[in-house]
Each structure stands twice: as C-alpha cells, then as structure tokens.
Amino acid sequence: MIVYGKQLFLHLLKHHKEKLEEIYLAKEVQKDIFNQIAKVGLKIQKVDNQKAQALARGGNHQGFLAKVKEYEFATLNEIKKSDYLAILYGLSDVGNIGAIVRTAYALGAGGVVVVGKSQNLAIQGIIRSSSGAAYELPIALCDDGLSFINELKQVGFKIYAANAGGKSAKDFKFTPKTAIIMGSEGEGIPNKVLQKCDNILGINMRRDWDSLNVSVAFGILFDRIVNG
C-alpha cells in the first residue's frame, strides 16, 4: 500500500516507523529530514516525478512517498470496550471519513466503526485525509449495523443519531458509553436504524440552510457530547 504527502509521511516517520517498508523521494529534502529518514534503516529510493505520479496515482505527493504495511483494522469486540464511539453508516466519501477520524481522535473518541461494504473502502484515502490519525484511533468495519447497535446496547451504550430536526445536545447528559451515528452523504440514516436509536440529535440553524457537511456536523455534535 502506497501513502504519500509530506505531512502524512512525516507523521509515520515520527510515530510509526515500523509501518514503513519502502521509501521513495521525488525531490531534494532538508538535511534534518533526510537524516531522520536515514535512521529508519530502509533503502531510500529516489524517483523522478513521472514514477512518483504513477505511485501516487496522480495525487499530490509533494515528493514524499512510502510503501507501508497493510492497514490493520480493529475488531468490533475491541471497539465495544472503548468509550465515545462514532458510527459512520453508509458513508462513502474518503475525505469525509478521514476528516471525521481526525476530529474523533482529536476530541477523544475511543473508536470509529464504518458500516457498509468493506471491500469498497479505500483505506489509503482515509489514512491520507485523516493526516495519519487513522493510525492513532481504532477503526473497525461492520457489515451488519443493526446487529452491532444491539450489541452496543447490551454493553451499556446509549445510541444517538445525527439527523435533521433532532433535539439539541443541551437536552442530554452524555456518559462515556455514548455512540453517535452519522449517515451517508446522500441518503442519510435509514429509518430502521433511526428506530433503534435512543434519541436523535440535531443542529439548530440560525439561517435558512438545509444541511452541513457530514464531517462538520460530526465535529459540532461530538464536541458537545464529550465537552458538554
């Protein structure tokens, strides 16, 4: 698996050297950064921009690329032991998923569960758009979201859905055993899932606008959940 981009590359270099397998540089780098790379002990392969573009599949590599070990997802049983969970129900945009992972990690979430067809999940894009936070926060895949919600309830979780017309987070006192469900960009959260939830949360709009980007909405609601 190839990752690229200066910020992500340096994050892995600093915090997860063991994930690196091959290193590619498509530009001259500062001496201190080169010395950090050299300390990893892997061969540094210098490539031209054409090769770098091919490795990055046209992405903005900024001259920094690496082959890394396959991403290791957490299990649902591991996730259930954590506090403050984010459940992404049917989301498909890797930019949104990555942004939510980054925010979830920054605000203290215990894990993220992605519900949907796991074979279609482009984890490279999620890692990149999360700026590496995907390596810091447990992420699990789930094919059967309804069953997982039931499992969470059995271990004491309260389940909240983010949906238009929902109640203000100010109306609730949240405990660490809280999970918030964010729906897909187009279809939202299925009704059968909404019916399983303990309550529905919304964001009051002071101006006439139909909705917010899902990652922005998550950041607002999750901050209110964990910080009151």
Side-chain angles (χ1 to χ4, degrees):
M1 185 170 72
I2 300 294
V3 297
Y4 57 85
K6 184 176 181 180
Q7 185 176 4
L8 175 56
F9 181 94
L10 294 179
H11 180 83
L12 288 171
L13 189 66
K14 182 177 181 180
H15 299 287
H16 298 284
K17 297 182 181 70
E18 74 284 355
K19 304 289 186 186
L20 300 170
E21 293 186 331
E22 297 179 7
I23 292 172
Y24 309 94
L25 296 179
K27 62 183 289 186
E28 293 297 321
V29 301
Q30 294 170 264
K31 186 176 180 180
D32 60 330
I33 294 177
F34 186 86
N35 289 338
Q36 291 176 48
I37 297 170
K39 287 180 181 178
V40 176
L42 296 174
K43 180 182 177 181
I44 300 172
Q45 303 181 52
K46 295 193 175 183
V47 297
D48 60 25
N49 189 59
Q50 184 176 1
K51 173 69 173 178
Q53 284 292 99
L55 288 169
R57 297 183 179 180
N60 183 17
H61 54 78
Q62 299 174 298
F64 295 85
L65 307 97
K67 180 181 179 183
V68 298
K69 296 177 181 178
E70 287 301 311
Y71 185 82
E72 296 181 8
F73 289 96
T75 67
L76 293 176
N77 283 334
E78 291 170 342
I79 290 286
K80 285 191 296 184
K81 297 175 184 177
S82 302
D83 295 330
Y84 294 120
L85 301 180
I87 302 174
L88 312 185
Y89 216 102
L91 268 70
S92 58
D93 186 289
V94 296
N96 284 333
I97 296 174
I100 288 173
V101 168
R102 184 177 182 178
T103 300
Y105 176 68
L107 293 178
V112 172
V113 177
V114 181
V115 179
K117 297 179 179 179
S118 57
Q119 64 269 25
N120 296 332
L121 191 67
I123 187 60
Q124 295 100 320
I126 294 171
I127 291 170
R128 189 169 59 254
S129 57
S130 75
S131 298
Y135 281 111
E136 312 304 330
L137 184 68
I139 300 174
L141 304 177
C142 179
D143 293 328
D144 187 349
L146 289 174
S147 294
F148 182 63
I149 290 171
N150 286 333
E151 290 179 28
L152 286 178
K153 287 189 171 187
Q154 289 170 8
V155 294
F157 273 87
K158 290 286 188 181
I159 314 297
Y160 297 86
N163 205 46
K167 298 178 182 178
S168 169
K170 295 178 181 178
D171 296 336
F172 303 96
K173 184 175 179 61
F174 300 100
T175 71
K177 291 299 179 185
T178 294
I180 182 170
I181 300 176
M182 307 301 298
S184 68
E185 297 86 347
E187 300 177 2
I189 301 173
N191 284 330
K192 58 185 178 181
V193 176
L194 291 174
Q195 292 168 9
K196 287 273 187 182
C197 295
D198 293 290
N199 249 301
I200 298 175
L201 301 179
I203 298 171
N204 181 41
M205 305 281 192
R206 293 198 175 190
R207 292 195 171 103
D208 184 22
W209 201 256
D210 56 351
S211 66
L212 297 173
N213 172 275
V214 64
S215 66
V216 173
F218 170 79
I220 293 170
L221 289 173
F222 199 70
D223 177 69
R224 292 173 180 174
I225 289 171
V226 297
N227 293 318

